[in-house]
């Protein structure tokens, strides 16, 4: 499973979440607030054994976006829900979450937006 395949598995797992707000997928246009906006970000992979076994660390960033007036309260609830869905040691589709997702400082503008970085690990 390459990084790209791993990112797709992370996104599919996000889509199984109960109680999630609207979800805007990459290149999918907007969804109404509140929403998760998914971005495939970086990752790394490396060959770890002489037989060619490779491990990869796929990564996505989910922007947790809420209306500006509601700000941190509703946004925090959606961040907690997201972090809980990708708890360490969660396993699915050959991916293992090895560290808790982490929220970055909020972005302000038209909406209140908190980026949450989600990383997994897989072997192929």
């Amino acid at each position: 499973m390459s990084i790209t395949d791993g990112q797709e598995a992370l996104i599919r797992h996000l889509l199984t979440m109960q109680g999630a707000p609207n979800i805007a997928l990459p290149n999918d246009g907007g969804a109404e607030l509140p929403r998760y906006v998914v971005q495939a970000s970086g990752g790394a992979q490396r060959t770890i054994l002489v037989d060619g076994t490779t491990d990869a660390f796929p990564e996505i960033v989910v922007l947790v976006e809420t209306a500006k007036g509601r700000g941190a309260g509703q946004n925090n609830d959606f961040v907690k829900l997201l972090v809980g869905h990708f708890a360490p040691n969660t396993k699915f589709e050959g991916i293992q979450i090895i560290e808790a997702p982490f929220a970055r400082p909020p972005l302000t503008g038209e909406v209140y937006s908190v980026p949450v970085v989600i990383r997994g690990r897989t072997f192929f």
Side-chain angles (χ1 to χ4, degrees):
M1 172 181 298
S2 68
I3 292 173
T4 305
D5 293 336
Q7 289 167 328
E8 290 176 3
L10 290 169
I11 293 168
R12 282 192 297 274
H13 187 65
L14 173 67
L15 294 173
T16 69
M17 182 185 305
Q18 298 296 314
N22 296 314
I23 297 175
L25 299 174
N27 302 317
D28 189 27
E32 291 190 31
L33 293 174
R35 65 184 172 213
Y36 290 152
V37 179
V38 181
Q39 301 173 338
S41 61
Q45 60 189 50
R46 63 191 175 174
T47 302
I48 57 174
L49 297 175
V50 293
D51 69 357
T53 299
T54 300
D55 67 345
F57 299 89
E59 176 181 299
I60 62 173
V61 175
V62 178
L63 299 175
V64 181
E65 297 186 341
T66 52
K68 206 173 190 180
R70 297 197 156 196
Q74 184 184 42
N75 198 289
N76 284 344
D77 292 340
F78 286 130
V79 168
K80 288 178 188 176
L81 181 66
L82 182 62
V83 169
H85 191 67
F86 288 92
N89 292 319
T90 301
K91 296 177 184 176
F92 54 90
E93 294 188 48
I95 299 282
Q96 180 176 6
I97 303 301
I98 55 173
E99 62 186 9
F102 58 96
R104 304 295 297 155
L107 308 170
T108 56
E110 294 295 314
V111 298
Y112 186 85
S113 180
V114 175
V116 178
V117 179
I118 301 169
R119 293 184 179 133
R121 185 176 189 194
T122 187
F123 297 91
F124 60 97

